[in-house]
Amino acid sequence: MRDTDDTPDNVRPFPGMADDASPVTEAETLGDGLRLAREQSGRSLAQLSSMTRVPVRYLTAIEQNDFSTLPNRVFSIGYVRSYAEALGLDEQLAVERFKRETPDPSVPLQAPIGVAFEEGRKVSPRLIAAGVALVIAVIGWNVFQRISLMREPQPFDIAAVPKSWSDAPTVGEEPLRLSAPQPAPPDQTTPAIYVTPGLEAQLTGIDPASPEGLAAAAAAAPPVQRAFNPRGAIYGAPASASQVVIQARKPGGLVVRMADNRVLFARQLAAGDAWRAPVGVAAVIDASSDFADFDVYLNGEHGGVLTAEQTPLSQLNARAEALARQTAAEAGARAQAAQAAALRAQQAEAARTASARPAPPAG
């Protein structure tokens, strides 16, 4: 009759083996039982090593009960399981006997532990009464202290105004009168600034004592523009390498593209954030939002706002350079005028001195 058992050949018990658990349980040691089962099966250690993928030296150590040469415990249990399974034995019984014969040295043996039921110690009623009395005493003492400190409002010792206070002043005495508050005295620790007479007129060519000269100088002076005031983060070039600053009045996007369409700067600026433009770079400033919301500062002074959605950076740098040259020229002109005025003042002073000098007597 055809055998219909589906068990693989390497797991099916070998001929001549009555019970797959007999060599494991009846042999003197596990190694003797596995060696006996292997010899009955007619297999060699090399064949079993090929079937189980376990080196021959480890199979030999298992048969000789030399477990000291085996690797760690986990691999040793796996080798025993594979060995028993290849011989058709009960691998679970083999593993259990291996564990009994080679206990795990990492787990110390412990004596049996039982549960001891002990009757709880009873608390003496006297101790309970003493504790309650102590608590009541503490609470009573605190209440007594609080009550003793509580006092009704007492009237002032002076129940009535003395007669001497309300009587009119005696003859020869004047009543006390309070005058109006006086201004605070000047600070005596800060001396007044000393100004050398004639120095201001010599340096500026303007007599500080002449109202007409001061008014003419104020009319001729250029208007002072609003200076750049950082009110947020500042991006771009350092202050020493930039003449143009773009500052956002409101949140908005600012993109700066170079001539080869590379993006030099792109950011969503918050109100007060600014970008310093580098000098000598050909780029275009593109304001994605309202371009009038971006202030332009040239050489640190307000130069208006962006007038178009796209503004060449070279145009702003050129304006900054022109303003710098104009400012330098005006400063030079003012310096020359001051020098000329100082020279005229010196000549006039010399003329007054010469006229005031007495004439020499006639010979």
Side-chain angles (χ1 to χ4, degrees):
M1 184 175 179
R2 185 174 178 269
D3 188 7
T4 59
D5 189 6
D6 296 333
T7 305
D9 294 339
N10 59 345
V11 180
R12 185 181 298 114
F14 294 104
M17 187 176 300
D19 185 2
D20 58 350
S22 298
V24 176
T25 58
E26 296 178 357
E28 183 178 357
T29 61
L30 175 62
D32 295 338
L34 295 177
R35 178 177 52 78
L36 178 61
R38 179 183 62 78
E39 293 176 352
Q40 291 179 356
S41 66
R43 300 294 180 92
S44 62
L45 289 175
Q47 293 175 340
L48 285 179
S49 176
S50 177
M51 295 170 59
T52 60
R53 308 284 182 170
V54 179
V56 176
R57 65 179 183 277
Y58 292 151
L59 297 179
T60 304
I62 292 173
E63 289 185 353
Q64 296 177 358
N65 298 308
D66 185 11
F67 302 114
S68 60
T69 60
L70 295 176
N72 58 46
R73 188 173 182 80
V74 177
F75 284 98
S76 301
I77 292 174
Y79 295 161
V80 170
R81 188 184 302 275
S82 300
Y83 197 158
E85 183 181 3
L87 294 176
L89 303 176
D90 190 338
E91 61 271 15
Q92 188 61 32
L93 291 176
V95 170
E96 293 298 332
R97 184 164 185 183
F98 173 77
K99 291 181 179 180
R100 289 194 305 270
E101 294 181 358
T102 57
D104 190 359
S106 62
V107 179
L109 298 178
Q110 298 180 358
I113 300 176
V115 179
F117 295 95
E118 297 181 358
E119 184 179 359
R121 297 180 60 185
K122 296 182 179 180
V123 181
S124 175
R126 294 182 179 180
L127 294 178
I128 297 177
V132 173
L134 180 61
V135 172
I136 293 175
V138 172
I139 295 176
W141 173 257
N142 283 275
V143 172
F144 172 75
Q145 291 291 333
R146 185 175 294 274
I147 293 175
S148 63
L149 294 176
M150 294 175 61
R151 299 177 58 188
E152 295 182 358
Q154 301 293 330
F156 291 106
D157 295 336
I158 303 177
V161 179
K163 184 178 180 180
S164 60
W165 291 11
S166 58
D167 290 345
T170 59
V171 180
E173 295 182 359
E174 295 184 358
L176 180 64
R177 300 180 183 275
L178 297 178
S179 61
Q182 300 295 327
D187 190 359
Q188 300 298 326
T189 60
T190 305
I193 300 177
Y194 176 78
V195 179
T196 304
L199 180 61
E200 186 175 357
Q202 182 178 359
L203 295 178
T204 62
I206 302 172
D207 187 4
S210 174
E212 295 80 4
L214 294 176
V224 178
Q225 300 294 335
R226 186 177 63 188
F228 170 67
N229 182 20
R231 292 181 287 108
I234 301 178
Y235 307 94
S240 59
S242 175
Q243 295 177 322
V244 178
V245 179
I246 309 296
Q247 188 176 37
R249 293 183 177 179
K250 300 178 181 179
L254 188 69
V255 180
V256 182
R257 293 184 176 87
M258 302 182 66
D260 54 359
N261 207 24
R262 288 185 303 168
V263 176
L264 179 62
F265 177 78
R267 195 175 187 88
Q268 182 74 17
L269 298 180
D273 291 352
W275 175 72
R276 287 196 182 103
V279 179
V281 176
V284 176
I285 301 175
D286 187 356
S288 58
S289 59
D290 189 3
F291 51 85
D293 291 338
F294 293 91
D295 289 320
V296 179
Y297 291 89
L298 305 177
N299 300 322
E301 296 184 357
H302 188 258
V305 298
L306 292 178
T307 57
E309 184 176 353
Q310 293 184 350
T311 304
L313 180 57
S314 58
Q315 178 181 352
L316 299 180
N317 282 327
R319 285 179 54 192
E321 293 178 359
L323 289 176
R325 289 193 297 268
Q326 180 181 356
T327 303
E330 292 176 354
R334 286 195 298 270
Q336 292 179 359
Q339 291 178 358
L343 181 60
R344 289 194 300 269
Q346 291 178 358
Q347 292 175 355
E349 183 66 22
R352 284 195 301 271
T353 303
S355 62
R357 185 180 305 170

